[in-house]
Amino acid sequence: YVGNLPFTCTKEQLSEYIEEFGEVTDVFIPQDNYGKPRGFAFIAVKEETVEAVIEGADGKEFMGRPIAVNHPLPPGEKTAKRKGASLL
């Protein structure tokens, strides 16, 4: 899973960037009902490079934004909301 992507990011751009850390086998960027990217993607990489990709790209700047890279959650599962978090 790759989050906080710029909406202008293409599959090719993301794949090229992630290739710095491991071999990419597939990239899927979900789109909204209007065909616009939703700001996140799912990437598939060679099994032996998964951790290197996460460690190398998570929190790094890509196209002017810090991206989040981690293992995807199982379908239908959502991250736990942080209690006590406030908006700044």
Side-chain angles (χ1 to χ4, degrees):
Y1 170 84
V2 182
N4 200 37
L5 290 174
F7 296 110
T8 58
C9 173
T10 66
K11 290 171 59 169
E12 293 76 19
Q13 290 168 318
L14 182 57
S15 181
E16 185 177 314
Y17 177 72
I18 297 298
E19 284 276 344
E20 295 177 26
F21 310 104
E23 187 177 337
V24 175
T25 58
D26 190 36
V27 175
F28 173 64
I29 300 177
Q31 297 179 342
D32 66 16
N33 293 336
Y34 302 100
K36 305 243 187 233
R38 295 179 59 195
F40 65 93
F42 295 98
I43 58 170
V45 298
K46 294 279 188 171
E47 184 69 32
E48 59 271 13
T49 65
V50 169
E51 294 306 320
V53 168
I54 292 171
E55 290 175 24
D58 186 42
K60 301 296 188 300
E61 189 171 306
F62 172 67
M63 296 179 68
R65 299 179 77 161
I67 59 172
V69 181
N70 49 48
H71 294 279
L73 295 173
E77 192 171 313
K78 295 185 178 187
T79 59
K81 300 233 187 257
R82 297 187 328 188
K83 290 186 178 189
S86 61
L87 298 175
L88 300 177

